[in-house]
Amino acid sequence: MLALLATLVGTYFWADGKLHHENVLADYQGRPAAGKGTNWLIVGSDSRQGLTDADEHDLHTGSAEGKRSDSMMILHIGDNGNTLMSIPRDSWVQIPAHPDSSGNGKTVPAATRKINAAFAAGGGRLLVQTVETNMGLRIDHYAEIGFAGFVGLVDAVGGVEMTIDQPVKDKDSGLDLQAGKQTLTGKQSLAFVRQRHQMADQDLGRMRNQQKFLGALAAQAASPANLLNPFTFYPLASAGLDTLIVDDDAGLTDLGSMFLAMKGVTGGAGKTMTVPIGNPDYRTSTGESAVKWDPAKSKAVFDALKNDTAVPDSK
């Protein structure tokens, strides 16, 4: 019993020590008050950190510097049901004033732009503030994973079993899949959650794929075969935590709660949705296409998440 206890304690501190913390939940004037329940902002970034030149070529990621958000989701954990809500990365929102990323000491004034620009300009901290101010919803925890961590996590669980509705061949992402049930490798999984050109609604269709995939990944990673076998658990934990960025207050127990909630939601014990959209092809003043939220329906959803009440149907 003492040996087992020592192993468990040692494993906890080993895993906790692998977490990368960032101060992304800094206070600012006018920050929304804490609501009921717990709200996670979960970000999949296109960071190439940890990838070699050969990896970038093999995974069709390109070699862009810095990082941009490839996916954004709000996970609400509450007493009245959990909700996983995707945020289109082309959402047309007000980005708050923020320090210039070049470090020249100047302030970039507030402006209306695509939400992805907030992450590119100010990382997790500016993205959190942008989400909070546009939704009136306080973010309690933050988690971010890059390309290398995502691929490593999938490969560590032995691939993820998915049912592909129709054949997919996408040049940009390198995805080439036949229809039917199959096990996707880390490389195939990354291409699957990134590709969008095969769907009529492009980015919105990609978000549905991302939610579907996360459910399958969570179910497989949480299986007894992976959690109770040290030969699979340690590589899985290492792959998942090595490139994971979380807020300063997030610990392993918080991540466990997030993981179980996500598994339950995508498994049917909760609600999956997208921010209610009023215009998926809104033309901005510069002529580019953006996603405009439905003001009334989105506010009703944000208020429900804030107050931990039943989230209304956004359709």
Side-chain angles (χ1 to χ4, degrees), residues 70-74 84-91 115 192-196 199 201-215 266 272-277 280 291 293:
D70 226 45
S71 62
M72 286 173 276
M73 300 180 185
I74 298 287
L84 182 64
M85 180 177 69
S86 292
I87 305 171
R89 62 180 187 171
D90 288 342
S91 296
I115 197 169
F192 178 75
V193 299
R194 296 188 70 212
Q195 70 89 23
R196 56 177 176 153
M199 292 163 283
D201 51 1
Q202 297 277 308
D203 207 39
L204 301 183
R206 177 169 67 169
M207 288 188 296
R208 291 194 297 272
N209 276 349
Q210 290 169 348
Q211 290 180 343
K212 180 180 179 181
F213 180 85
L214 283 177
T266 53
T272 59
M273 62 182 299
T274 298
V275 173
I277 295 169
V291 175
W293 298 347

Side-chain angles (χ1 to χ4, degrees), residues 17-272:
K18 296 182 78 66
L19 286 174
H20 300 273
H21 293 91
E22 284 189 8
N23 182 21
V24 296
L25 301 181
D27 282 327
Y28 54 88
Q29 187 174 2
R31 187 181 184 194
K36 298 178 179 179
T38 301
N39 297 309
W40 282 84
L41 177 58
I42 303 170
V43 179
S45 83
D46 69 357
S47 169
R48 277 77 171 171
Q49 184 177 353
L51 296 179
T52 64
D53 291 344
D55 291 333
E56 292 173 353
H57 179 270
D58 188 45
L59 296 172
H60 292 254
T61 65
S63 55
E65 296 292 332
K67 59 184 180 180
R68 288 141 296 278
S69 55
D70 226 45
S71 62
M72 286 173 276
M73 300 180 185
I74 298 287
L75 175 65
H76 174 78
I77 305 172
D79 294 335
N80 290 292
N82 302 330
T83 300
L84 182 64
M85 180 177 69
S86 292
I87 305 171
R89 62 180 187 171
D90 288 342
S91 296
W92 195 240
V93 298
Q94 178 89 353
I95 298 178
H98 56 277
D100 193 306
S101 59
S102 65
N104 59 16
K106 295 182 179 180
T107 297
V108 178
T112 304
R113 299 182 62 189
K114 293 179 180 179
I115 197 169
N116 197 26
F119 187 72
R125 179 182 291 196
L126 183 57
L127 180 60
V128 167
Q129 186 177 353
T130 301
V131 168
E132 289 184 333
T133 54
N134 282 272
M135 295 185 178
L137 181 70
R138 191 182 185 101
I139 299 300
D140 303 294
H141 285 300
Y142 175 89
E144 174 194 328
I145 191 167
F147 284 165
F150 181 87
V151 172
L153 183 60
V154 173
D155 286 337
V157 300
V160 174
E161 188 175 274
M162 293 284 294
T163 298
I164 307 301
D165 297 329
Q166 59 185 17
V168 180
K169 190 175 181 67
D170 182 64
K171 180 181 178 180
D172 290 336
S173 66
L175 188 64
D176 187 359
L177 298 175
Q178 298 299 313
K181 183 178 290 188
Q182 55 205 284
T183 299
L184 304 187
T185 64
K187 175 183 176 181
Q188 291 173 319
S189 299
L190 180 62
F192 178 75
V193 299
R194 296 188 70 212
Q195 70 89 23
R196 56 177 176 153
H197 300 295
Q198 306 298 315
M199 292 163 283
D201 51 1
Q202 297 277 308
D203 207 39
L204 301 183
R206 177 169 67 169
M207 288 188 296
R208 291 194 297 272
N209 276 349
Q210 290 169 348
Q211 290 180 343
K212 180 180 179 181
F213 180 85
L214 283 177
L217 174 61
Q220 193 151 329
S223 68
N226 280 313
L227 294 182
L228 300 180
N229 184 347
F231 294 103
T232 56
F233 172 77
Y234 284 101
L236 172 62
S238 181
L241 298 177
D242 270 344
T243 62
L244 185 69
I245 297 172
V246 296
D247 61 272
D248 281 342
D249 294 330
L252 287 180
T253 53
D254 299 304
L255 285 174
S257 174
M258 178 198 76
F259 192 81
L260 291 175
M262 182 177 290
K263 176 186 175 185
V265 168
T266 53
K271 190 179 186 70
T272 59

